[in-house]
Amino acid sequence: MNSIKVSIIIPVYNGEAFLQDCIKSLINQTLIACEFIFVNDGSTDNSIGIIQGYQKKDSRIIVISQINKGISEARNTGIAVAKGEYIGFLDNDDFVKDDMFEHLYETAQHDNLDIVVSKTILGRDGKYIIKDPVFDVGILYAQPFIQAEIIPNLLKTEDLFAVWNKIYKRSFVDLNNIHFPKNRVIEEDNMFNIQAFNKAEKIVFIDYAGYYYREVATSKSRLTIENDYFSKALEKYYFDYKKEYNLTLPDSEIEELKAVRFIQRVFYLLYKCAVTKTSLKIKYNYIKRMVFHAKVYEIAKKYNQEVIADKGIYERIVLKVITKKSSILLFFLILTIQIGYHPVISETIRKLNKLTKNN
């Protein structure tokens, strides 16, 4: 019988600022039979020194160092050496409650589940907010429901994108060769989950929140313009999910879901670019290239109603900018977001959007 119940994989890249919070939350887990696999992905700060310091006190800590290959390959490295019954993930700037992995493991073991999904505690605008579960909790979902509801959700939204609020049966991951895509810096979680849920036979969502996701403005993955996330979003839109992951959904449905997700990503990237700390000229030129891209216009026109369904006032304004190709409106929208951005205002906009969606 496997003595290690859960392997937690932590990719590390220059994470010294918050790494101790991450490590402490792991070594304090009430589930003792864990291993903590830290994959040092070419850090140039003191991350490795911090991890090794704790390793001397806790033999469950495993350290692997490699040249910088990105978060996907770092996680794949961890999966390859994991020995636990289940696999979990933690980012180096986040932390978890002491009973996080005990709670998820006990749920998984009770029904021999392939995947367990918990709620997430999101760090946003200086406070933490619990994100509600996407689907009803405590219900054993099998392939018919997964194909009808969960796979479309993964293709269309970000609701289930993260891997760090879940645990996955390791034998299931190995048997189906589920892995993170190489050379991706955004939405690699989503692509892992599409593979996993597409093959899973038994999954459960639980009414428990134990993962604290911390939004770090200086994180490499948050550098929207520098990383040219629009080009990466466009690349993901063209990705052939049906061929690569053997999806069973009709081509037309996959195309519509991908199209809606792509435009939603444009909504998000416009806002992130507008509030980033760079010159107005740089951000305007980047956003203009993105918003007025031929493919963005084509999709926005074709799937106008599908894109705007259940959306708020901000998304409706952006969609108007796209379909009208209005440079003036775009400029004033960016300026308004840049000047008006404040955590309190940001939260107010979210509430207004929610009200607008419900009307």
Side-chain angles (χ1 to χ4, degrees):
M1 184 176 178
N2 194 345
S3 61
I4 300 174
K5 302 187 186 314
V6 182
S7 300
I8 297 99
I9 298 165
I10 311 96
V12 179
Y13 179 77
N14 291 350
E16 64 179 0
F18 300 107
L19 192 51
Q20 293 199 53
D21 290 343
C22 171
I23 298 173
K24 288 177 183 177
S25 75
L26 288 173
I27 62 179
N28 289 330
Q29 286 298 300
T30 54
L31 183 67
I32 304 301
C34 294
E35 62 176 359
F36 312 122
I37 305 171
F38 288 85
V39 182
N40 177 39
D41 191 41
S43 296
T44 57
D45 64 359
N46 191 40
S47 291
I48 187 66
I50 293 171
I51 300 167
Q52 289 173 339
Y54 281 95
Q55 186 182 34
K56 293 175 182 177
K57 305 172 186 177
D58 195 321
S59 61
R60 296 175 298 171
I61 293 176
I62 298 168
V63 183
I64 300 172
S65 288
Q66 62 184 34
I67 61 172
N68 182 252
K69 297 180 181 180
I71 191 169
S72 287
E73 295 210 46
R75 284 172 172 162
N76 288 337
T77 296
I79 292 172
V81 301
K83 297 181 175 65
E85 291 178 55
Y86 284 83
I87 295 173
F89 299 92
L90 178 61
D91 284 355
N92 65 196
D93 44 13
D94 299 335
F95 59 100
V96 292
K97 288 182 179 178
D98 291 351
D99 65 346
M100 165 83 173
F101 291 104
E102 180 175 23
H103 207 105
L104 271 64
Y105 176 75
E106 288 182 350
T107 302
Q109 189 183 47
H110 184 268
D111 288 308
N112 191 28
L113 301 174
D114 294 321
I115 306 172
V116 179
V117 186
S118 68
K119 298 191 291 187
T120 303
I121 307 169
L122 300 175
R124 188 169 69 191
D125 297 333
K127 61 182 179 181
Y128 285 101
I129 300 169
I130 295 178
K131 187 175 180 181
D132 292 332
V134 180
F135 297 102
D136 290 340
V137 300
I139 298 174
L140 187 64
Y141 293 118
Q143 268 294 304
F145 184 88
I146 292 170
Q147 293 300 329
E149 301 293 338
I150 295 179
I151 296 300
N153 182 282
L154 283 163
L155 288 169
K156 184 179 179 181
T157 78
E158 283 190 353
D159 292 341
L160 288 171
F161 80 98
V163 293
W164 27 253
N165 66 326
K166 305 171 179 67
I167 60 171
Y168 308 80
K169 187 192 297 181
R170 182 171 63 87
S171 59
F172 157 75
V173 170
D174 290 344
L175 178 65
N176 291 286
N177 191 28
I178 298 167
H179 59 278
F180 290 89
K182 297 179 181 180
N183 303 317
R184 289 203 67 87
V185 295
I186 60 168
E187 301 195 29
E188 70 287 336
D189 301 51
N190 181 263
M191 299 177 87
F192 181 92
N193 278 323
I194 289 173
Q195 298 171 72
F197 281 92
N198 191 46
K199 295 294 185 180
E201 294 294 338
K202 294 192 292 184
I203 68 169
V204 166
F205 292 77
I206 60 175
D207 189 21
Y208 169 85
Y211 191 101
Y212 288 86
Y213 173 80
R214 183 161 20 202
E215 181 79 22
V216 181
T218 56
S219 171
K220 183 180 179 182
S221 65
R222 272 77 165 184
L223 301 176
T224 307
I225 296 176
E226 293 87 341
N227 286 327
D228 191 12
Y229 279 173
F230 172 67
S231 292
K232 293 174 174 61
L234 191 61
E235 174 189 328
K236 187 171 184 285
Y237 167 73
Y238 284 119
F239 185 81
D240 191 343
Y241 290 95
K242 187 160 189 172
K243 178 182 177 181
E244 293 296 326
Y245 300 149
N246 296 314
L247 300 187
T248 59
L249 295 176
D251 291 340
S252 58
E253 184 178 355
I254 292 176
E255 171 59 28
E256 179 181 318
L257 293 167
K258 285 169 52 179
V260 172
R261 177 72 188 93
F262 177 59
I263 299 300
Q264 288 175 347
R265 190 70 185 173
V266 171
F267 293 158
Y268 170 79
L269 292 175
L270 191 159
Y271 185 83
K272 294 298 288 185
C273 289
V275 300
T276 194
K277 293 182 179 179
T278 189
S279 72
L280 180 59
K281 181 179 180 180
I282 290 175
K283 67 178 69 176
Y284 174 75
N285 287 336
Y286 184 83
I287 293 171
K288 184 178 180 181
R289 178 176 71 85
M290 173 176 66
V291 170
F292 296 147
H293 189 280
K295 181 54 69 173
V296 173
Y297 177 79
E298 175 190 328
I299 294 173
K301 291 288 285 186
K302 182 176 181 180
Y303 296 103
N304 188 288
Q305 294 303 311
E306 292 82 1
V307 166
I308 212 64
D310 299 323
K311 292 295 176 286
I313 189 170
Y314 165 72
E315 290 88 351
R316 293 175 185 274
I317 292 172
V318 176
L319 193 62
K320 185 175 182 179
V321 169
I322 294 170
T323 56
K324 298 295 183 182
K325 297 185 178 181
S326 175
S327 298
I328 295 176
L329 184 56
L330 175 63
F331 178 80
F332 280 109
L333 176 61
I334 295 169
L335 196 61
T336 300
I337 294 172
Q338 177 179 285
I339 295 173
Y341 177 75
H342 185 276
V344 174
I345 296 174
S346 177
E347 191 63 30
T348 301
I349 290 172
R350 289 188 187 100
K351 290 177 180 178
L352 284 173
N353 263 344
K354 188 173 182 180
L355 289 172
T356 307
K357 292 176 188 178
N358 294 332
N359 290 331

